[in-house]
Amino acid sequence: MERWKGGQAMAHIVVAGAGYAGMLAALRLRKTRAHQVTLVSASPNFVERIRLHQTAADGTRVESPLTRLIAGAPIGLVLGRIAELQPARREILLADGTALTYDRLIYALGSQTGTSAVPGVSAYAHRLNNPDSAARLYAALLERHAGRLLVVGGGLTGIEAAAEIAKRHAEWQVTLLSAGTLGADLSPRGQDYLRAALRRKGVSVIENQRAARLEADRAYCAGGAVESFDMCLWAGSFEVSKLAAQSGFAVDAAGRILVDAALRSISHPEVYVVGDAAASGLRMGCATALPMGAHAADSILADLDDEPVQPHRFGYTVRCISLGRDDGLIQLVDPLDQPRDRIITGRPGAVVKELVCQGTWYSLEIERRLPGAFTWNRAEVPSSLRPLPSLA
Ligand SMILES: Cc1cc2nc3c(=O)[nH]c(=O)nc-3n(C[C@H](O)[C@H](O)[C@H](O)COP(=O)(O)OP(=O)(O)OC[C@H]3O[C@@H](n4cnc5c(N)ncnc54)[C@H](O)[C@@H]3O)c2cc1C
């Protein structure tokens, strides 16, 4: 049986992925210096993914060097793309051939914009996957100067991008195409505000039309409608890496790793899974990724100390939607994410949204200085007992 207590050998904890969940986990693992922590990242930078629509609209850069985020912390940093996992050997293989073994792994590889379900997306649409792809959209908007931009996807990414681009580029005619009812998870007041705000910004909204195929200048919808465009931004859904499924982890239909109440892989319990990569019962978001990262770190330290591991509990409080930087919609929700009647809108909403964005960044900075400081709202019901949200 593994024993790490009482001065026996250090455990090696590898954190795979340096997004919101992985960063918070790596920083928090330093609550004790008893174990060796290695952070593996494909990128040398931490990317504030929740601001990528800002890069697309005005070129704002939203990344910072990982070396700055972990400055002074005893965390080993390995830069490289993980190409393969060998869970039976507790080993990670990087694309350059480097092999890393672990005693515990935190899998935090996040998600990307989904491209596989709809033909033509990779060839004809821009995506907000990383700062470079967002910057390419910005350059393209400037280069062409004016035209029709079709934003496909009525989720947070699509709404925020459509509003921000319409606000900054009045010469572009922006249309938002949503497969369902826009803002279906908001209160009636929230939905009304969202529609009115988009209208004020000149964004045309088409609802209940699912794009099924893209060509160079048009989107074909499942119901037969055709939408022409000069440029398309695809924000239709998120999809996760196929690595987990290919490596033999138990995954759901979308490829997210199935986890128990403590966020351990049900097929490989020495692997904790956090953020968008986990089929955890929580919606994908940095709001859920940070607490999951913190919980995984706490659980691993408890587990290595032979302490009982607790279920992850998370209670929602708000949904924050940026509608251009002068307008925002804050939908208050109950701990299970059901909308309350109360909303905060307009400039106060934009201020709250900006504070929330800054808060995610400062959460990491504070955790760097004071490991263990990050705290969150915990619901009565463990997250894993909730129904799994869809990826759309
Ligand atoms: C425009 C936009 C706006 C958004 N707004 C909000 C919002 O307002 N609120 C909210 O809660 N959520 C929002 N989201 C969603 C949020 O960004 C994600 O849910 C969140 O980033 C998930 O965090 P994560 O740590 O799981 O993964 P990520 O942030 O995706 O990080 C994953 C990390 O893993 C690394 N990685 C991936 N594959 C490999 C590999 N093979 N090898 C090595 N490293 C790898 C990546 O480089 C990255 O560093 C938004 C997303 C977008 C795109």
Side-chain angles (χ1 to χ4, degrees), residues 16-23 40-54 66 78-84 92-94 107-113 128-130 156-158 160-161 235 238 241 243 274-278 283-290 292 318-322 353 356-357 360:
Y20 295 96
M23 276 309 306
V40 184
S41 173
S43 162
N45 295 318
F46 171 76
V47 174
E48 282 188 84
R49 241 181 112 188
I50 60 173
R51 290 189 190 272
L52 283 176
H53 57 287
Q54 298 180 355
L66 289 175
V78 174
L79 294 180
R81 178 156 290 280
I82 298 168
E84 202 182 325
I92 286 177
L93 296 169
L94 305 188
Y107 184 103
L109 296 187
S111 64
Q112 293 268 289
T113 306
L128 300 183
N129 273 338
N130 51 52
L156 215 55
T157 310
E160 293 192 333
F238 285 161
S241 164
L243 258 183
V274 293
D276 288 0
R283 81 170 125 93
M284 287 172 156
C286 72
T288 51
L290 290 167
M292 288 166 87
V318 286
R319 278 172 184 254
C320 302
I321 306 177
S322 159
K353 169 75 186 185
V356 168
C357 289
T360 61

XYZ file of all heavy atoms in Angstrom, residues 16-23 40-54 66 78-84 92-94 107-113 128-130 156-158 160-161 235 238 241 243 274-278 283-290 292 318-322 353 356-357 360, ligand 1:
603
model
N -1.502 18.423 -15.423
C -1.471 18.502 -16.890
C -2.434 19.586 -17.342
O -3.645 19.438 -17.220
C -1.867 17.155 -17.485
N -1.886 20.704 -17.847
C -2.730 21.801 -18.324
C -2.654 22.982 -17.381
O -2.850 22.832 -16.175
N -2.348 24.162 -17.945
C -2.179 25.363 -17.113
C -3.239 26.403 -17.435
O -2.948 27.577 -17.647
C -0.776 25.930 -17.299
N -4.496 25.955 -17.494
C -5.616 26.900 -17.590
C -6.060 27.255 -16.178
O -5.300 27.130 -15.214
N -7.312 27.684 -16.047
C -7.805 28.120 -14.732
C -7.709 26.988 -13.705
O -7.215 27.179 -12.589
C -9.262 28.582 -14.848
C -9.414 29.807 -15.708
C -9.754 29.698 -17.057
C -9.196 31.077 -15.192
C -9.877 30.818 -17.863
C -9.318 32.207 -15.989
C -9.656 32.071 -17.321
O -9.766 33.184 -18.117
N -8.183 25.795 -14.092
C -8.239 24.687 -13.133
C -6.840 24.198 -12.773
O -6.519 24.020 -11.590
C -9.065 23.544 -13.729
N -6.002 23.984 -13.792
C -4.666 23.450 -13.544
C -3.796 24.418 -12.763
O -3.069 24.022 -11.840
N -3.868 25.708 -13.107
C -3.046 26.707 -12.403
C -3.398 26.763 -10.931
O -2.527 26.775 -10.058
C -3.270 28.109 -13.001
C -2.465 28.450 -14.205
S -0.703 28.164 -14.048
C -0.290 29.082 -12.593
N 2.596 20.834 -16.397
C 2.900 20.605 -17.816
C 1.947 21.437 -18.658
O 0.724 21.379 -18.470
C 2.713 19.117 -18.196
C 3.133 18.881 -19.643
C 3.503 18.222 -17.264
N 2.505 22.217 -19.573
C 1.655 23.075 -20.392
C 2.163 23.121 -21.824
O 3.367 23.216 -22.062
C 1.648 24.497 -19.815
O 0.956 25.367 -20.691
N 1.222 23.096 -22.759
C 1.598 23.206 -24.170
C 2.061 24.624 -24.485
O 2.834 24.841 -25.410
C 0.404 22.837 -25.042
N 1.565 25.579 -23.719
C 1.874 26.985 -23.996
C 2.718 27.565 -22.864
O 2.512 27.215 -21.699
C 0.553 27.765 -24.106
O 0.793 29.145 -23.948
N 3.652 28.477 -23.176
C 4.422 29.104 -22.093
C 3.610 30.158 -21.341
O 4.073 30.720 -20.359
C 5.592 29.765 -22.835
C 5.085 29.998 -24.216
C 4.097 28.913 -24.508
N 2.384 30.407 -21.815
C 1.571 31.474 -21.227
C 0.290 30.949 -20.598
O -0.287 29.966 -21.072
C 1.174 32.489 -22.304
C 2.377 33.219 -22.849
O 3.257 33.614 -22.092
N 2.439 33.367 -24.160
N -0.162 31.657 -19.567
C -1.517 31.459 -19.062
C -2.423 32.358 -19.898
O -2.134 33.536 -20.083
C -1.616 31.856 -17.582
C -3.030 31.879 -17.086
C -3.698 30.694 -16.819
C -3.712 33.076 -16.929
C -5.022 30.705 -16.386
C -5.034 33.098 -16.494
C -5.687 31.907 -16.223
N -3.499 31.769 -20.408
C -4.409 32.531 -21.267
C -5.708 32.801 -20.512
O -6.347 31.873 -20.014
C -4.718 31.741 -22.560
C -5.766 32.461 -23.396
C -3.445 31.533 -23.363
N -6.080 34.067 -20.429
C -7.390 34.417 -19.863
C -8.426 34.175 -20.956
O -8.833 35.082 -21.674
C -7.409 35.886 -19.446
C -6.717 36.164 -18.147
C -6.959 37.602 -17.706
O -7.994 37.886 -17.098
O -6.103 38.442 -18.013
N -8.813 32.913 -21.053
C -9.716 32.515 -22.141
C -11.011 33.311 -22.132
O -11.599 33.561 -23.177
C -10.053 31.029 -21.956
C -9.635 30.164 -23.100
C -10.045 28.738 -22.823
N -11.093 28.311 -23.728
C -11.743 27.160 -23.614
N -11.470 26.335 -22.636
N -12.673 26.843 -24.478
N -11.454 33.704 -20.940
C -12.751 34.385 -20.852
C -12.701 35.795 -21.450
O -13.723 36.459 -21.541
C -13.268 34.447 -19.394
C -12.298 35.204 -18.489
C -13.487 33.052 -18.860
C -12.854 35.436 -17.088
N -11.500 36.226 -21.861
C -11.390 37.549 -22.490
C -11.033 37.446 -23.975
O -10.696 38.448 -24.601
C -10.306 38.371 -21.787
C -10.641 38.817 -20.374
C -9.578 39.793 -19.935
N -9.614 40.136 -18.539
C -10.335 41.130 -18.030
N -11.110 41.852 -18.817
N -10.286 41.405 -16.751
N -11.081 36.265 -24.550
C -10.627 36.130 -25.944
C -11.497 36.927 -26.918
O -11.027 37.356 -27.971
C -10.582 34.653 -26.354
C -9.380 33.861 -25.820
C -9.492 32.395 -26.211
C -8.060 34.442 -26.332
N -12.765 37.142 -26.566
C -13.610 37.960 -27.454
C -13.103 39.402 -27.490
O -13.316 40.114 -28.464
C -15.077 37.904 -27.011
C -15.299 38.346 -25.605
N -14.937 37.582 -24.524
C -15.828 39.486 -25.109
C -15.247 38.234 -23.419
N -15.786 39.393 -23.743
N -12.415 39.820 -26.417
C -11.848 41.173 -26.419
C -10.681 41.249 -27.407
O -10.530 42.234 -28.128
C -11.381 41.552 -25.011
C -12.520 41.575 -24.000
C -12.067 41.947 -22.593
O -10.882 42.109 -22.327
N -13.022 42.080 -21.692
N 3.707 31.969 -17.812
C 3.511 31.073 -16.665
C 4.601 31.288 -15.621
O 4.360 31.162 -14.424
C 3.543 29.612 -17.137
C 2.343 29.144 -17.962
C 2.569 27.723 -18.459
C 1.067 29.217 -17.137
N 7.169 22.192 -17.077
C 7.602 21.471 -18.279
C 6.732 21.955 -19.429
O 5.505 21.836 -19.378
C 7.446 19.942 -18.097
C 7.764 19.214 -19.399
C 8.344 19.446 -16.977
N 7.370 22.544 -20.442
C 6.610 23.030 -21.591
C 6.609 21.973 -22.679
O 7.666 21.487 -23.082
C 7.221 24.329 -22.123
C 7.146 25.526 -21.174
C 7.777 26.752 -21.810
C 5.703 25.818 -20.774
N 5.435 21.610 -23.134
C 5.343 20.608 -24.192
C 3.918 20.118 -24.310
O 3.139 20.200 -23.356
N 3.586 19.640 -25.492
C 2.232 19.127 -25.734
C 2.166 17.666 -25.327
O 3.002 16.863 -25.740
C 1.880 19.307 -27.217
C 0.520 18.762 -27.602
C -0.036 19.426 -28.826
N -0.433 20.806 -28.586
C -1.581 21.174 -28.015
N -2.452 20.265 -27.618
N -1.861 22.435 -27.832
N 1.200 17.338 -24.504
C 1.026 15.943 -24.091
C 0.431 15.182 -25.272
O -0.620 15.567 -25.800
C 0.107 15.842 -22.858
C 0.751 16.593 -21.691
C -0.161 14.387 -22.491
C -0.166 16.814 -20.513
N 1.131 14.123 -25.686
C 0.693 13.389 -26.870
C 0.029 12.075 -26.495
O -0.748 11.527 -27.265
C 1.889 13.125 -27.782
N 0.340 11.581 -25.309
C -0.173 10.259 -24.934
C -0.162 10.113 -23.420
O 0.715 10.664 -22.743
C 0.769 9.207 -25.553
C 0.163 7.850 -25.722
C 1.185 6.862 -26.291
O 2.032 7.274 -27.117
O 1.131 5.694 -25.873
N 3.121 10.049 -18.563
C 2.665 10.993 -19.590
C 3.766 11.086 -20.631
O 4.939 11.202 -20.273
C 2.499 12.393 -18.961
C 1.262 12.457 -18.100
C 2.437 13.473 -19.991
C 1.136 13.806 -17.437
N 3.393 11.081 -21.897
C 4.401 11.224 -22.948
C 4.155 12.522 -23.698
O 3.028 12.789 -24.142
C 4.319 10.049 -23.928
C 4.643 8.687 -23.321
C 4.279 7.568 -24.280
C 6.126 8.615 -22.957
N 5.198 13.324 -23.825
C 5.068 14.581 -24.563
C 5.409 14.356 -26.033
O 6.070 13.373 -26.393
C 5.996 15.643 -23.976
C 5.848 15.930 -22.484
C 6.687 17.146 -22.092
C 4.398 16.179 -22.101
N -5.632 16.048 -14.214
C -5.867 16.186 -15.659
C -6.717 17.438 -15.849
O -7.864 17.495 -15.410
C -6.584 14.935 -16.156
C -6.822 14.874 -17.654
C -6.029 14.078 -18.475
C -7.861 15.583 -18.243
C -6.259 13.995 -19.847
C -8.094 15.514 -19.609
C -7.289 14.715 -20.404
O -7.523 14.637 -21.761
N -6.140 18.453 -16.498
C -6.817 19.759 -16.611
C -6.611 20.322 -18.013
O -6.208 21.470 -18.176
C -6.264 20.716 -15.553
N -6.889 19.490 -19.025
C -6.578 19.902 -20.402
C -7.674 20.734 -21.060
O -7.573 21.084 -22.233
C -6.235 18.682 -21.266
C -4.969 17.923 -20.837
C -4.622 16.839 -21.852
C -3.776 18.856 -20.652
N -8.730 21.054 -20.317
C -9.701 22.035 -20.796
C -10.471 21.594 -22.024
O -10.751 20.406 -22.231
N -10.800 22.563 -22.860
C -11.616 22.308 -24.053
C -11.211 23.293 -25.140
O -10.420 24.203 -24.903
C -13.097 22.496 -23.713
O -13.331 23.851 -23.368
N -11.782 23.090 -26.296
C -11.569 23.979 -27.444
C -12.915 24.169 -28.126
O -13.851 23.419 -27.855
C -10.625 23.310 -28.449
C -9.213 23.133 -27.959
C -8.324 24.296 -28.337
O -7.989 24.465 -29.488
N -7.967 25.116 -27.376
N -12.973 25.108 -29.047
C -14.192 25.235 -29.832
C -14.375 23.962 -30.649
O -13.428 23.491 -31.278
C -14.060 26.423 -30.805
O -13.703 27.564 -30.050
C -15.370 26.672 -31.529
N -12.353 31.151 -31.468
C -11.669 31.810 -30.350
C -11.011 30.744 -29.472
O -11.393 30.549 -28.327
C -12.667 32.641 -29.528
C -13.389 33.755 -30.275
C -14.297 34.544 -29.331
C -12.392 34.701 -30.944
N -10.029 30.056 -30.031
C -9.386 28.974 -29.286
C -8.221 29.447 -28.447
O -7.925 28.880 -27.412
C -8.879 27.897 -30.252
C -9.957 26.880 -30.554
O -10.897 26.741 -29.780
N -9.827 26.193 -31.662
N -7.531 30.447 -28.945
C -6.334 30.928 -28.254
C -6.077 32.358 -28.719
O -6.747 32.848 -29.637
C -5.138 30.006 -28.560
C -4.978 29.800 -30.054
O -4.917 30.774 -30.815
N -4.931 28.556 -30.494
N -22.439 31.652 -24.237
C -21.717 32.814 -23.718
C -20.683 33.355 -24.708
O -20.585 34.568 -24.935
C -21.003 32.365 -22.437
C -20.879 33.359 -21.312
C -22.230 33.894 -20.911
C -20.193 32.689 -20.131
N -19.920 32.447 -25.322
C -18.854 32.886 -26.232
C -19.437 33.649 -27.410
O -18.955 34.727 -27.778
C -18.066 31.663 -26.754
O -17.701 30.856 -25.646
C -16.830 32.079 -27.500
N -20.493 33.096 -28.012
C -21.096 33.739 -29.175
C -21.725 35.076 -28.820
O -21.537 36.079 -29.518
N -21.087 37.093 -26.235
C -20.100 38.108 -25.847
C -19.316 38.597 -27.065
O -19.040 39.789 -27.203
C -19.160 37.547 -24.778
C -19.893 37.296 -23.461
C -18.978 37.008 -22.283
O -17.867 36.507 -22.509
O -19.385 37.300 -21.145
N -18.974 37.671 -27.956
C -18.210 38.068 -29.145
C -19.064 38.950 -30.056
O -18.603 39.988 -30.554
C -17.732 36.828 -29.893
N -18.748 29.644 -32.810
C -18.713 29.488 -31.345
C -19.819 28.510 -30.972
O -20.548 28.695 -30.000
C -18.915 30.840 -30.671
N -18.201 23.626 -27.304
C -16.835 23.269 -26.886
C -16.662 21.775 -27.113
O -17.616 21.013 -27.009
C -16.637 23.535 -25.393
C -16.495 24.992 -25.025
C -16.708 25.397 -23.719
C -16.130 25.947 -25.953
C -16.573 26.727 -23.342
C -15.987 27.289 -25.594
C -16.211 27.671 -24.283
N -10.371 17.227 -25.638
C -9.339 16.435 -26.301
C -9.735 14.951 -26.329
O -10.354 14.450 -25.390
C -8.030 16.608 -25.525
O -7.119 15.610 -25.881
N -7.583 12.678 -26.158
C -6.509 11.972 -25.440
C -7.036 11.009 -24.383
O -6.570 9.873 -24.282
C -5.635 13.003 -24.719
C -4.300 13.412 -25.303
C -3.611 14.377 -24.366
C -3.446 12.195 -25.574
N -10.268 17.906 -13.609
C -10.839 19.204 -13.221
C -11.116 20.069 -14.444
O -10.538 19.863 -15.514
C -9.882 19.943 -12.252
C -9.788 19.209 -10.928
C -8.489 20.101 -12.850
N -12.006 21.031 -14.266
C -12.308 21.975 -15.337
C -13.158 21.340 -16.430
O -13.875 20.357 -16.214
N -13.046 21.895 -17.632
C -13.901 21.476 -18.748
C -13.723 20.010 -19.124
O -14.604 19.411 -19.745
C -13.592 22.333 -19.992
C -14.099 23.763 -19.862
O -14.695 24.094 -18.820
O -13.894 24.552 -20.808
N -12.580 19.426 -18.785
C -12.290 18.043 -19.187
C -13.076 17.017 -18.376
O -13.120 15.848 -18.738
C -10.793 17.768 -19.041
N -13.692 17.438 -17.276
C -14.363 16.495 -16.374
C -15.858 16.434 -16.647
O -16.506 17.467 -16.821
C -14.134 16.918 -14.929
N -21.434 23.021 -15.143
C -21.279 23.575 -16.486
C -19.826 23.973 -16.711
O -19.102 24.273 -15.767
C -22.252 24.730 -16.700
C -21.859 26.060 -16.138
C -22.797 27.164 -16.642
N -23.412 27.921 -15.585
C -22.913 29.061 -15.102
N -21.785 29.541 -15.570
N -23.545 29.705 -14.141
N -19.417 23.931 -17.987
C -18.050 24.314 -18.319
C -17.898 25.808 -18.081
O -18.713 26.598 -18.559
C -17.763 24.014 -19.781
C -17.609 22.546 -20.101
S -17.500 22.357 -21.888
C -16.630 20.813 -22.015
N -16.860 26.204 -17.386
C -16.663 27.625 -17.138
C -15.486 27.823 -16.210
O -15.118 26.916 -15.456
N -14.901 29.020 -16.262
C -13.796 29.264 -15.333
C -14.352 29.351 -13.916
O -13.660 29.063 -12.946
C -13.014 30.508 -15.719
S -13.863 32.027 -15.415
N -15.649 29.713 -13.806
C -16.282 29.815 -12.490
C -16.300 28.459 -11.785
O -16.227 28.388 -10.553
C -17.707 30.329 -12.652
N -16.398 27.383 -12.560
C -16.397 26.043 -11.959
C -14.988 25.446 -11.961
O -14.649 24.639 -11.097
C -17.347 25.108 -12.734
O -17.035 25.192 -14.134
C -18.797 25.495 -12.526
N -14.165 25.861 -12.947
C -12.822 25.273 -13.078
C -11.940 25.601 -11.868
O -11.217 24.733 -11.362
C -12.161 25.770 -14.366
N -12.000 26.843 -11.398
C -11.121 27.231 -10.279
C -11.427 26.412 -9.014
O -10.514 25.823 -8.426
C -11.256 28.738 -9.994
C -10.666 29.686 -11.049
C -11.145 31.115 -10.807
C -9.145 29.647 -11.039
N -12.840 23.537 -8.801
C -12.496 22.127 -9.019
C -10.992 21.920 -8.857
O -10.543 20.926 -8.265
C -12.946 21.685 -10.419
C -14.452 21.550 -10.544
S -14.955 21.423 -12.272
C -14.809 19.686 -12.528
N -23.928 33.477 -9.734
C -24.294 34.391 -10.826
C -23.891 33.804 -12.175
O -23.030 32.931 -12.255
C -23.560 35.761 -10.695
C -24.136 36.600 -9.592
C -22.062 35.572 -10.521
N -24.534 34.307 -13.216
C -24.042 34.148 -14.586
C -23.709 35.541 -15.065
O -24.559 36.434 -14.968
C -25.136 33.602 -15.500
C -25.305 32.131 -15.422
C -26.513 31.687 -16.196
N -26.662 30.270 -16.002
C -26.385 29.357 -16.929
N -26.014 29.722 -18.129
N -26.514 28.082 -16.662
N -22.508 35.725 -15.560
C -22.078 37.077 -15.947
C -21.880 37.132 -17.452
O -21.103 36.347 -18.000
C -20.757 37.416 -15.274
S -20.841 37.315 -13.500
N -22.550 38.057 -18.106
C -22.425 38.170 -19.563
C -21.968 39.578 -19.911
O -22.617 40.567 -19.544
C -23.768 37.878 -20.263
C -24.311 36.514 -19.813
C -23.606 37.916 -21.774
C -25.669 36.170 -20.400
N -20.857 39.654 -20.618
C -20.372 40.942 -21.097
C -21.089 41.266 -22.405
O -21.183 40.423 -23.296
C -18.861 40.840 -21.310
O -18.438 41.843 -22.180
N -19.118 42.431 -14.102
C -18.486 41.438 -14.989
C -16.965 41.633 -15.009
O -16.195 40.674 -14.931
C -19.067 41.579 -16.399
C -18.334 40.804 -17.478
C -18.604 39.317 -17.426
C -17.738 38.575 -18.428
N -18.020 37.172 -18.525
N -15.440 40.403 -11.879
C -15.395 38.934 -11.848
C -14.204 38.438 -12.678
O -13.449 37.552 -12.255
C -16.724 38.336 -12.360
C -16.594 36.842 -12.622
C -17.842 38.599 -11.356
N -14.012 39.042 -13.866
C -12.871 38.637 -14.709
C -11.554 38.899 -13.983
O -10.660 38.049 -13.955
C -12.882 39.395 -16.036
S -14.193 38.875 -17.139
N -10.837 36.344 -11.224
C -10.264 35.035 -11.570
C -8.739 35.138 -11.595
O -8.030 34.270 -11.103
C -10.772 34.531 -12.937
O -10.388 35.458 -13.941
C -12.265 34.373 -12.955
C -14.662 33.900 -25.381
C -14.933 33.058 -24.168
C -15.602 33.631 -23.086
C -15.850 32.874 -21.942
N -16.477 33.468 -20.885
C -16.680 32.771 -19.754
C -17.277 33.388 -18.617
O -17.653 34.560 -18.652
N -17.435 32.644 -17.490
C -17.032 31.341 -17.411
O -17.188 30.714 -16.349
N -16.459 30.721 -18.470
C -16.283 31.398 -19.641
N -15.690 30.784 -20.718
C -15.317 29.358 -20.609
C -13.977 29.209 -19.888
O -12.977 29.940 -20.541
C -13.565 27.745 -19.833
O -14.635 26.985 -19.330
C -12.337 27.605 -18.929
O -11.229 28.203 -19.562
C -12.034 26.147 -18.596
O -10.887 26.115 -17.800
P -9.915 24.847 -17.820
O -8.834 25.137 -16.854
O -10.704 23.610 -17.678
O -9.337 24.785 -19.306
P -8.553 25.823 -20.217
O -8.696 27.204 -19.720
O -8.997 25.511 -21.600
O -7.033 25.386 -20.037
C -6.547 24.155 -20.536
C -5.040 24.214 -20.555
O -4.532 22.963 -20.993
C -3.550 23.178 -21.987
N -3.544 22.011 -22.870
C -4.558 21.540 -23.624
N -4.183 20.428 -24.283
C -2.904 20.191 -23.926
C -1.961 19.165 -24.238
N -2.257 18.152 -25.070
N -0.730 19.228 -23.677
C -0.413 20.225 -22.805
N -1.266 21.210 -22.463
C -2.493 21.196 -23.020
C -3.992 24.453 -22.693
O -2.905 25.049 -23.377
C -4.480 25.265 -21.503
O -3.407 25.910 -20.880
C -15.434 31.511 -21.885
C -14.747 30.936 -22.972
C -14.504 31.692 -24.104
C -13.756 31.052 -25.259
